[in-house]
Every structure is written in structure tokens, then in C-alpha cells.
């Protein structure tokens, strides 16, 4: 009970958010029963992108270390399902994938998270290419093949597996927000030197966060592998999967949980519309949207929403300054 | 806390060169010297921000040189930075709370909150508690730097020019605060250019010049030290 009390948001606003989340989760849970198969499959894709961009935001959004390794962990998950899918059920393969993603990310983090800034980004970028070529070499050298057939799964079941990851991720994100671990990450993002000097073990915190953020990505990779039927290193380690979550998170805004969710939702819909309607122009339009988003919305869509909300509130309650209502007394 | 033969060089230049120093229990030790003398570099070595290339630092019976900043903080040595390095995304209270939460191992959240609140009151920052760093005056930002370090409950507090840029009245307040901090049993080592302040509150002063220790003594001895006078007058 005490635990539940500690985790539950104390403010009315917090409870409102929680209520909204439960409603969304409940709706998503009954969704496949009332929608057409195509819509269910497409919604699973949206959820997949939301999970990827939330995971990315959890580490990179908080710490400011921009990771382009998402495709690496995603691909690892895909390969684990391709190898194990015949022997064990999907949820078990997803757990194995999550564990593998966690461990590999921890190892990579231990090597690279001593690097700062752009070096870390370039390393993670190179990691995707490295894995892609390494796996290709292993496949050809030892298995005399380039790709693998993946046992396909029932799309509704896959949908529920991905939904489960989404719900677990949201709960974890909410709990971590004000946890010691979450605050340590926040401190690192705001000023890493200060964080170290007040006793935050910055290296350990960064490595752990990077590893935690990789686990859901690999799990979802395993689930999505069952949908493609066939994978090879180029399909599994597709760099686009590294860039999309970054774009979605930046588009939506990395300072709140809603930002990446909103960004992933809008951009997945946009991508779908563009691919179906304007195949040739898809990348051009998509690129233009991103340039506009980055230039004019530094805090993303969530940042715009917040400033509109604050303006409205100021107009309604002109005398309260929104930034000092945290208990500051007037001088 | 004591250092023996502490040295570091940057590209062949010896920024700190074989410095011996002692900080006694409950003492306020001043660290003076012209710009570029190696004062902040020495602080950076003590706090683990830089690794010394020679010598060692002993604290509480053990060697602390070579440890990372977080370990040194948790061992009981906290510091401030010359240019305030607060957490801009947190309120003043949360800034202090982070020090309380991470600075001392094994603290519960409730204990950390109590430490944060008492530290805010002690440093006179309680009236800014809910504000963000960018919204409070410079003197309060400097105090916040001290408060965050204090919240880690150190036995040694290192202050790097916390009085720079303050007006005379604020300097008086800051001096009173440093005395009160010592009154709580915390040893203080401070870098300061405000001579009046350092002469009146320090028990002892050490002076650095070109990375070498050139004087060590009571404030009255330091003012009479020829070499120190030369350097300071030579500069002026």
C-alpha cells in the first residue's frame, strides 16, 4: 500500500494524467476486437515507434547524449526472434531480446559513455554499421546464407505483446521520473560536472540508463520480426530505425512524456499517408517537415502546447506568476 | 586533510608544482595568489575533477587522490564552482535537494528533504525555494552554490570565489555565512580575491604563485611576507 501511495501522483493534475493514461490503455486493449485487421497492424506500428522514441528520450532526452544506436538494439531483437522463434513463444523471445539488449548496451555504455558529446553519437552510429556487417559476415561464413525466414505470428497476438511493452514502459517512466535514478539522470543532463560533485556516480548512472533504454527496443524488435517474415542484416540493422525515434522525439518535444508519444503518433501517420499517396515525394516532404520542426519548435510540439497553456492560464489568473507557484513566498 | 607534493602539468607547464598543505579540523584556510597561480587547479585536483600527476592527498586517514568526484564528495569533501554551476531546470529547493539526496549515502527521501529544507533556511535561501535559478539575484545564486555543497553534509567545504561580484553588504553576509558554517564543525578552504574578507575570517592563509607554495601562515604573517607583497604590489 505504502508503495502504491508513493508512486501515485499526489496532485490533482497528476491524477488527471494517470486517469487519461488508464483510459488510453483500456481503449488500446479492446481495440483489436473492434477494428479491421489492417488498423490493428498499423496501430502496432505506431506503438512500436512510440516505444522507440520514448526509450530514446529516456536516455538521450534526459542526459543530452544523443544516441543513434536504436537500430542496433532493434536489429538484435529481430535476430533473436529469427533464431529462437521456432523454439520458444514470442513473449519468451522478447524477454531474451530485452535481456540481450540490456547487456549489450551496458557493455557498449561501459566503453563509450566516458566519451562526451559528438564522439558518443558517432560511436553509436558506427555501431549499427558494425553490427550489420558483422552479422552479415557471420551468416555467410558460418551459415552460408544471407537472410533468415522468421516464423510469422498472429497479428493480434503480436499487437498485444507490443502493447504490453508500451504499458510497462509508461509505468516505468512514470515511476522513474521522481526516483533517485531519474533525478540523477536529470542532474547529469543539466550539468554533468555539478552532478558528479554532489555525489552522483555519473558513469554508472549513464551506463545503467543506456542499458535500460535498450531493453524495450530489442523486445519490440523481436515482436516486429514476426511481421516481416524474412530478415537479413540490411533489413534488421536499418539506420532509419536510428533516426526515426530521434526525429519523433524532437518533433514532439523531449521534456515531457507526452512529447515523444505525440511525435511518434503524428510522424507515423504522416509517413503512412505520404508513402501511400506520394511515394516519390515522401522523403522530401518528410525532410521538410523535420527542418521546419527543428527550426521553429525548439521544444517540440509539447513545448508549444505548454507555452499556449501557460499563456491561457496567465490570462485567466493574471496575478500568479506560473514559474513561482512552487511555494515561493513573495519578497 | 593534507596534500604532499601535489603536482600537475598541462602540456609541459607545471600548473601546480609540488604543493604541500594541511587543512586542520575546524579551520578556515584561505588560498590566495594572482590569476593563473593554480588555485582553482589545486581545487580541481582535490575534488577529483582533475587527476594529479604527482603527490597525494590524504583525508580522514585514507588516500583520496585518484578517486572520482562523486566518491570524494561522498567521502565528505564538497566544493563550489567559481562560475555558478547550478541545475537550471530545477527549482532552488530541488537544486539543494539533489545535494542532500546524492551527497551522503544511505539517506531516505524524507531525510534528504529535511536536510534540504534546513540547509535552505541556514543559508537564507528559503524565500527563493520555489523559484528557478535564472529568476534569483546573483548573490542568491552564489549562495545556492554553497547551499548545494553544504547539503551533501561535508566535513570539508571548498569555496571558489563565492564573494566575487558581490557588493560590500553582500560580502559581509557571505563572511558571516562562512563563519557559521565553520561553527557547525565544517572545515573550510576558500579561494578569494576580496582581501578584506579573507584577512578577517581566515585562521591561516596559504599563497600560491606560478603553481608553487610561497607562503603559509596567519593573516598577519602573510601581510608582512615580502614575496607576497611583491607579487601583489607588482601586479598593481
Amino acid at each position: 500500500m505504502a508503495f502504491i501511495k508513493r508512486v501515485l501522483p499526489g496532485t490533482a493534475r497528476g491524477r488527471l494524467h494517470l486517469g487519461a493514461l488508464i483510459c488510453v490503455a483500456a481503449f488500446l486493449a479492446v481495440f483489436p476486437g473492434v477494428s479491421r485487421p489492417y488498423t490493428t497492424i498499423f496501430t502496432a506500428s505506431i506503438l512500436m515507434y512510440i516505444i522507440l522514441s520514448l526509450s530514446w528520450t529516456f536516455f538521450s532526452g534526459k542526459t543530452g547524449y544523443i544516441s543513434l544506436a536504436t537500430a542496433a538494439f532493434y536489429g538484435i531483437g529481430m535476430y533473436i526472434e529469427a533464431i529462437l522463434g521456432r523454439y520458444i513463444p514470442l513473449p519468451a523471445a522478447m524477454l531474451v531480446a530485452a535481456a540481450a539488449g540490456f547487456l549489450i548496451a551496458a557493455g557498449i555504455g561501459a566503453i563509450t559513455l566516458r566519451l562526451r558529446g559528438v564522439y558518443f553519437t558517432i560511436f553509436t552510429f558506427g555501431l549499427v554499421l558494425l553490427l550489420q556487417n558483422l552479422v552479415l559476415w557471420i551468416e555467410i561464413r558460418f551459415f552460408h546464407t544471407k537472410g533468415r525466414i522468421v516464423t510469422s505470428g498472429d497479428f493480434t497476438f503480436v499487437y498485444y505483446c507490443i502493447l504490453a511493452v508500451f504499458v510497462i514502459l509508461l509505468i516505468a517512466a512514470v515511476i522513474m521520473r521522481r526516483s533517485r535514478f531519474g533525478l540523477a539522470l536529470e542532474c547529469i543532463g543539466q550539468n554533468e560536472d555539478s552532478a558528479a560533485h554532489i555525489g552522483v556516480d555519473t558513469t554508472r548512472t549513464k551506463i545503467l540508463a543506456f542499458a535500460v533504454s535498450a531493453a524495450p527496443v530489442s523486445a519490440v524488435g523481436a515482436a516486429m520480426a514476426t511481421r516481416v517474415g524474412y530478415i537479413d542484416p540490411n533489413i534488421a540493422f536499418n539506420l532509419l530505425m536510428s533516426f526515426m525515434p530521434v526525429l519523433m522525439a524532437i518533433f514532439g518535444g523531449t521534456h515531457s512524456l507526452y512529447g515523444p508519444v505525440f511525435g511518434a503518433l503524428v510522424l507515423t501517420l504522416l509517413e503512412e499517408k505520404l508513402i501511400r499517396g506520394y511515394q516519390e515525394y515522401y522523403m522530401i516532404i518528410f525532410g521538410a517537415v523535420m527542418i521546419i520542426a527543428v527550426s521553429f519548435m525548439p521544444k517540440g510540439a509539447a513545448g508549444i502546447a505548454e507555452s499556449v497553456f501557460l499563456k491561457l492560464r496567465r490570462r485567466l489568473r493574471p496575478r500568479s506568476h506560473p514559474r513561482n507557484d512552487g511555494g515561493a513566498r513573495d519578497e | 586533510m593534507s596534500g604532499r607534493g601535489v603536482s600537475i602539468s598541462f602540456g609541459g607547464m607545471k600548473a601546480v608544482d609540488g604543493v604541500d598543505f594541511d587543512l586542520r579540523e575546524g579551520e578556515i584556510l584561505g588560498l590566495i595568489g594572482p590569476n593563473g597561480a593554480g588555485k582553482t587547479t589545486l581545487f580541481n585536483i582535490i575534488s577529483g575533477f582533475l587527476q594529479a600527476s604527482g603527490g597525494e592527498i590524504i583525508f580522514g586517514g585514507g588516500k583520496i587522490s585518484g578517486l572520482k568526484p562523486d566518491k570524494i564528495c561522498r567521502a565528505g569533501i564538497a566544493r563550489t564552482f567559481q562560475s555558478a554551476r547550478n541545475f537550471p531546470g530545477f527549482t532552488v529547493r530541488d537544486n539543494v535537494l539533489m545535494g542532500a539526496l546524492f551527497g551522503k549515502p544511505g539517506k531516505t527521501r524524507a531525510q534528504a528533504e529535511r536536510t534540504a529544507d534546513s540547509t535552505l533556511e541556514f543559508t537564507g535561501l528559503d524565500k527563493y525555494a520555489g523559484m528557478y535559478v535564472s529568476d534569483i539575484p546573483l548573490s542568491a545564486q552564489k549562495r545556492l552554490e554553497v547551499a548545494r555543497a553544504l547539503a551533501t553534509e561535508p566535513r570539508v567545504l571548498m569555496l571558489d570565489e563565492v564573494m566575487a561580484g558581490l557588493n560590500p553588504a553582500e560580502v559581509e553576509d557571505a563572511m558571516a555565512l562562512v563563519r557559521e558554517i565553520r561553527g557547525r564543525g565544517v572545515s573550510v578552504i576558500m579561494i578569494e580575491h576580496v582581501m578584506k574578507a579573507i584577512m578577517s575570517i581566515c585562521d591561516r592563509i596559504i599563497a600560491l604563485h606560478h603553481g608553487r607554495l610561497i607562503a603559509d601562515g596567519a593573516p598577519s604573517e602573510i601581510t608582512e611576507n615580502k614575496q607576497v607583497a611583491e607579487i601583489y604590489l607588482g601586479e598593481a
Side-chain angles (χ1 to χ4, degrees), chain A residues 247-267:
Chain A
L247 298 184
M248 288 167 171
I250 291 173
F251 183 83
T254 56
H255 295 283
S256 75
L257 272 181
Y258 292 105
V261 174
F262 178 78
L265 184 69
V266 170
L267 292 189

Side-chain angles (χ1 to χ4, degrees), chain A residues 91-246:
Chain A
M94 286 168 75
L95 279 178
V96 174
F102 181 92
L103 291 175
I104 292 171
I108 291 162
I111 304 168
T112 58
L113 281 170
R114 286 160 216 282
L115 303 174
R116 285 206 186 180
V118 74
Y119 301 102
F120 173 75
T121 306
I122 289 170
F123 188 96
T124 56
F125 180 81
L127 177 71
V128 179
L129 301 176
L130 176 76
L131 278 176
Q132 192 184 68
N133 287 291
L134 183 69
V135 171
L136 187 63
W137 181 79
I138 291 172
E139 292 282 65
I140 292 172
R141 180 87 171 68
F142 298 105
F143 300 99
H144 311 291
T145 171
K146 195 177 160 244
R148 286 169 184 268
I149 306 291
V150 189
T151 322
S152 64
D154 168 46
F155 68 85
T156 316
F157 183 65
V158 173
Y159 170 89
Y160 279 117
C161 287
I162 294 176
L163 181 61
V165 176
F166 173 65
V167 170
I168 292 168
L169 187 61
L170 271 189
I171 293 171
V174 169
I175 292 174
M176 274 183 194
R177 241 182 132 71
R178 288 298 287 184
S179 74
R180 218 173 263 253
F181 179 54
L183 288 172
L185 268 183
E186 193 93 36
C187 288
I188 291 171
Q190 290 188 33
N191 194 323
E192 190 164 345
D193 294 334
S194 287
H197 280 92
I198 56 165
V200 176
D201 188 337
T202 52
T203 308
R204 209 185 62 185
T205 307
K206 284 186 292 183
I207 293 172
L208 188 60
F210 189 54
V212 167
S213 78
V217 174
S218 292
V220 169
M224 294 298 281
T226 62
R227 285 213 349 218
V228 292
Y230 166 87
I231 61 165
D232 65 31
N234 289 320
I235 295 172
F237 300 99
N238 178 356
L239 270 172
L240 204 58
M241 296 308 277
S242 282
F243 291 116
M244 288 302 273
V246 184

Side-chain angles (χ1 to χ4, degrees), chain A residues 6 114 116 175-206 306 321-331, chain B residues 44 47-49 68-71 73-74 77-79 81 85-90 94-95 97-99 101-104 106-109 126-132 134-135 137 145 148-149 152:
Chain A
R6 197 162 64 87
R114 286 160 216 282
R116 285 206 186 180
I175 292 174
M176 274 183 194
R177 241 182 132 71
R178 288 298 287 184
S179 74
R180 218 173 263 253
F181 179 54
L183 288 172
L185 268 183
E186 193 93 36
C187 288
I188 291 171
Q190 290 188 33
N191 194 323
E192 190 164 345
D193 294 334
S194 287
H197 280 92
I198 56 165
V200 176
D201 188 337
T202 52
T203 308
R204 209 185 62 185
T205 307
K206 284 186 292 183
E306 195 190 329
H321 189 283
R323 287 190 90 183
N324 334 338
D325 56 2
R329 284 173 234 151
D330 286 334
E331 269 196 272
Chain B
N44 285 340
S47 73
F49 197 43
K68 290 201 305 167
D70 57 291
K71 295 257 163 30
C73 172
R74 273 176 278 154
I77 302 175
R79 74 169 290 182
F81 285 97
R85 296 194 188 184
N86 298 304
F87 300 120
F90 287 142
D94 278 349
N95 263 277
L97 178 61
M98 294 307 127
L101 204 53
F102 297 112
K104 200 119 199 155
K107 235 188 208 169
T108 67
R109 177 65 72 93
D126 41 350
K127 61 178 175 235
Y128 301 118
M131 292 196 187
Y132 286 82
S134 55
D135 296 340
E145 195 71 12
R148 200 183 58 229
T152 67

